[in-house]
Amino acid sequence: MPEKQNELKKTLGFTVAFSTIIGIVVGSGIFFKPYAVFNATGGAPGLGMLAWLLAGLLSIAGALTASEIAGMIPKTGGMVTYLHDIFGKKVGFLAGWVESTLYQTGSTAAAAVVFGVQAASLLGFEPGAYWPKVLIAIGIIGFLAFLNNLGAKTSGWIQTVAVVCKLIPLITIVIVSFVKGTGNDVLTPLLGPDLNPAKAFSLALLAALFAFDGWMGVGMIAGEMKNPGRDLPRALILGMGTVSLIYIVMNVAYLWVMPASELMLTETPAADVSRVLFGERGGQFVSIGILVSVFGGVNGYVFTAARSTFTLAQSNRIPLSKTLQKVNKNGVPANATWYIFIVSSLFCLTGKYDLLTDLSTFMIWNFYVLTFYGVIKLRREQPDAYRPYKVPLYPFIPIIAMLGGSYVVISTIISQFPKAVVGFGIMLVGLPIYAYYENKEKKQTID
């Protein structure tokens, strides 16, 4: 097959990149993660709001830092490609392996599971019923996989429409909350009784970071952008600044209606706040808007995850590499998209939103920290290289991003050691697979 048949078409601009960031990041987290954040703080708002604020600052620092590499290395694959070019084939492979087997697929499944939870509730199923939410979750991933294979423009159109639609429940909840809400304290108390502050903050921060996560994924579509060196950094910075503002305002709005001690008890806080504000029928209408938002989030994950797997397959160091790197007549990696559907569906069978989000967020931040360090490494080794964008306040912003990310990793290992073991175990499985294909390639070269 000619090489050009496996190349992606350059059809995307700034608007799709920006809407992809908003579509992925403002997906499920802001509507469902307040439960996990305030549960971690024992129903106290202060430390929870601090976790939301710090998660936003870390994400902005990360976006500011990663944008420099995104401008220098505007290739499909995003972080996987960056780490491959900066640190070598093995590190790039491990990043791609974790993304394809755990992070992207786990995040896709997590978003689909909460879509299933919300949809099952609207359809009248018993709260927490296992099979309805799981079957709906698997069905929505399959439907979006089909739509994504129609072309990158179709995927981008879905993202743009979903971004517009998701603003409706966001704006509605914010405005009406401040008009009709009773005005609960949003800063005190700082922490619930008998809780370890360090562990509580670690758990709250990890939960909040998932709500902000996904911004790095837009780099995976760089190879399909018409002017990635200019548009990708702009989309990252403007997108994450917008998301941070939305999240802080949304959490204040929630707390204005329901105290943190009540938000910690419900897995569907946005829907519950809506019922308080609008009654049962009005709450259902807003819940439909939330479903549209989560739908866009799942689409964003499927869209970018397929590109990650496609890039990994091009290394020819995983099983079925030749199959997964094929591009269909619409110019999209169809087989990689169906791979994402299969693996994500398996993760959906857990039915556990917080388990999937905690595990995927923890593992990806290991590679985020390495990416942030990559900016410093490239500045030192390639000082005269062309940089269409440079991170401001260098080296302070990259150092802040690295320190914040290191805190997330280390505190998770301490406070949630079993999850860390599972995550690192999945990553280490990639080493013998890499070694097998590396040795196979060397033997073929010798022969």
Side-chain angles (χ1 to χ4, degrees), residues 226-237:
K226 290 175 282 190
N227 194 340
R230 180 195 66 191
D231 292 339
L232 190 53
R234 288 170 56 211
L236 274 167
I237 295 165

Side-chain angles (χ1 to χ4, degrees), residues 118-437:
Q118 191 77 62
S121 175
L122 283 173
L123 293 173
F125 289 100
E126 288 292 322
Y130 174 77
W131 282 112
K133 69 179 179 183
V134 168
L135 292 176
I136 291 171
I138 293 174
I140 201 65
I141 299 174
F143 177 62
L144 284 168
F146 168 76
L147 291 180
N148 271 262
N149 280 336
L150 297 179
K153 281 191 173 181
T154 301
S155 307
W157 179 83
I158 294 172
Q159 282 305 111
T160 302
V161 171
V163 167
V164 174
C165 291
K166 75 178 54 186
L167 293 177
I168 296 174
L170 288 171
I171 294 172
T172 302
I173 290 174
V174 168
I175 293 175
V176 181
S177 291
F178 291 127
V179 172
K180 297 180 65 175
T182 56
N184 301 295
D185 200 322
V186 300
L187 296 177
T188 59
L190 190 66
L191 184 66
D194 303 321
L195 290 178
N196 181 303
K199 182 177 181 179
F201 186 69
S202 170
L203 293 172
L205 181 60
L206 190 66
L209 280 171
F210 174 78
F212 279 96
D213 200 30
W215 50 268
M216 186 74 85
V218 75
M220 295 171 196
I221 65 172
E224 295 163 271
M225 294 180 68
K226 290 175 282 190
N227 194 340
R230 180 195 66 191
D231 292 339
L232 190 53
R234 288 170 56 211
L236 274 167
I237 295 165
L238 183 60
M240 288 314 298
T242 303
V243 168
S244 299
L245 179 62
I246 290 172
Y247 280 13
I248 295 298
V249 173
M250 280 295 292
N251 274 278
V252 173
Y254 289 152
L255 292 168
W256 210 249
V257 177
M258 294 178 66
S261 57
E262 292 183 20
L263 289 173
M264 69 173 281
L265 301 176
T266 172
E267 295 185 15
T268 55
D272 286 8
V273 167
S274 298
R275 279 190 285 271
V276 172
L277 294 173
F278 309 109
E280 193 63 34
R281 284 186 177 275
Q284 288 180 344
F285 176 77
V286 175
S287 294
I288 292 172
I290 293 171
L291 279 177
V292 174
S293 175
V294 179
F295 181 86
V298 179
N299 179 69
Y301 278 122
V302 172
F303 183 39
T304 57
R307 274 71 184 168
S308 176
T309 300
F310 170 82
T311 301
L312 180 64
Q314 288 186 314
S315 70
N316 293 315
R317 282 177 172 77
I318 59 172
L320 303 176
S321 289
K322 297 296 183 184
T323 300
L324 292 173
Q325 64 184 271
K326 287 183 179 179
V327 174
N328 68 9
K329 64 180 181 180
N330 297 316
V332 297
N335 292 335
T337 302
W338 288 118
Y339 163 83
I340 296 301
F341 163 68
I342 292 170
V343 178
S344 297
S345 296
L346 294 174
F347 278 126
C348 284
L349 296 176
T350 66
K352 301 292 186 182
Y353 177 60
D354 288 324
L355 170 65
L356 293 170
T357 58
D358 286 353
L359 193 55
S360 60
T361 303
F362 161 68
M363 283 308 299
I364 204 62
W365 270 87
N366 285 274
F367 292 102
Y368 283 177
V369 172
L370 203 56
T371 303
F372 303 151
Y373 172 67
V375 172
I376 297 175
K377 187 172 186 290
L378 288 177
R379 285 282 189 109
R380 186 176 64 246
E381 296 177 354
Q382 303 178 31
D384 299 323
Y386 173 64
R387 292 173 171 83
Y389 160 86
K390 290 185 177 182
V391 58
L393 301 178
Y394 179 88
F396 299 107
I397 296 296
I399 289 173
I400 290 172
M402 288 172 58
L403 290 176
S406 298
Y407 170 79
V408 172
V409 171
I410 295 170
S411 63
T412 302
I413 293 173
I414 295 172
S415 63
Q416 301 187 73
F417 186 71
K419 289 181 182 178
V421 170
V422 171
F424 283 130
I426 293 174
M427 181 182 72
L428 292 175
V429 167
L431 286 176
I433 293 175
Y434 175 84
Y436 168 78
Y437 283 98

